[in-house]
Amino acid sequence: TQLRALLRAAAEYDNLRILLPMLSHPQELERALQMFSAANEQLRATRGIKAALPPLGVMIEVPAAVFIMPSLAKSLSFFSIGTNDLIQYTMAMDRNNEMLVPLCDPLHPAILQMLALIVKHAARANLPVTLCGELAGDVKLTPLMLGLGLRHLSMMPALVEEVREQVQTVDCAAFAQLAQKALRAPTPAAVHKIIGADS
């Protein structure tokens, strides 16, 4: 029912995009495409509507998704990065547990390496990638995120103005150098020191 509703909306409007969450296996994307095809056939048979599939994307929020991006990209129009869950699952930490929050550091070298790999995979596939979650709205980290090659940031409306001011004054070449230095850092504390963020 929901897929048919999406396709009906897509038949009338051209601004719909569909984002698939929590995907970790190529077969999940194949199954989603099959379900959309079946929904489209149902619409054609019952209502005479044949809609094109809207732009389809995948939310990269589990580590497995990072490493299968090249195969996923063949059927997609865009990627998004769900940083809150990606950090939690990469670090095997419950971010809702106050005792573990200090260990869920977004500047952990593994997280930065993963973000860099996501940007690399998206660039090779010539697909846009959007950074979502708390990381995208942290103005202290904006230079580093831009330096990693991220150009689309999704955040709470209240955070937009401050991040916009930061972006309007950027020197992307300098930020790229900053990012490369951060990617070589061995610990989160070292990354915090490099970018001048509070550790």
Side-chain angles (χ1 to χ4, degrees), residues 1-191:
T1 300
Q2 292 176 347
L3 300 188
R4 289 195 300 270
L6 287 170
L7 291 172
R8 288 179 62 188
E12 293 189 43
Y13 305 99
D14 61 0
N15 61 351
L16 179 67
R17 301 200 307 166
I18 299 174
L19 182 62
L20 302 176
M22 286 295 170
L23 191 144
S24 61
H25 197 290
Q27 289 180 347
E28 292 174 316
L29 178 56
E30 294 174 10
R31 178 60 178 147
L33 291 170
Q34 291 169 0
M35 292 173 70
F36 273 112
S37 179
N40 214 345
E41 284 303 308
Q42 292 172 2
L43 278 180
R44 184 189 61 79
T46 61
R47 295 178 177 268
I49 298 173
K50 186 166 179 61
L53 180 64
L56 188 66
V58 161
M59 180 74 86
I60 305 298
E61 51 193 336
V62 296
V66 176
F67 299 100
I68 60 172
M69 282 179 66
S71 63
L72 299 176
K74 301 170 186 177
S75 303
L76 299 176
S77 299
F78 64 96
F79 287 106
S80 292
I81 310 171
T83 56
N84 294 349
D85 284 325
L86 185 61
I87 293 169
Q88 174 175 266
Y89 294 128
T90 299
M91 303 304 298
M93 299 292 179
D94 179 1
R95 57 191 171 93
N96 295 318
N97 185 327
E98 293 183 3
M99 295 179 64
L100 298 178
V101 168
L103 297 177
C104 290
D105 194 325
L107 299 186
H108 189 288
I111 302 301
L112 296 186
Q113 294 287 344
M114 198 166 285
L115 291 176
L117 183 57
I118 291 171
V119 170
K120 182 178 179 180
H121 284 324
R124 284 182 173 176
N126 197 29
L127 295 180
V129 57
T130 298
L131 185 72
C132 308
E134 295 177 12
L135 194 56
D138 190 335
V139 70
K140 298 188 302 298
L141 304 183
T142 301
L144 179 57
M145 297 301 107
L146 295 173
L148 288 171
L150 291 155
R151 294 294 180 268
H152 304 279
L153 309 175
S154 175
M155 66 202 71
M156 297 288 290
L159 302 173
V160 170
E161 190 60 36
E162 189 175 6
V163 172
R164 180 187 288 132
E165 291 177 4
Q166 175 78 282
V167 170
Q168 288 174 337
T169 60
V170 301
D171 179 348
C172 282
F175 287 172
Q177 294 178 358
L178 175 75
Q180 289 305 308
K181 190 174 181 181
L183 286 169
R184 294 191 295 269
T187 65
V191 178

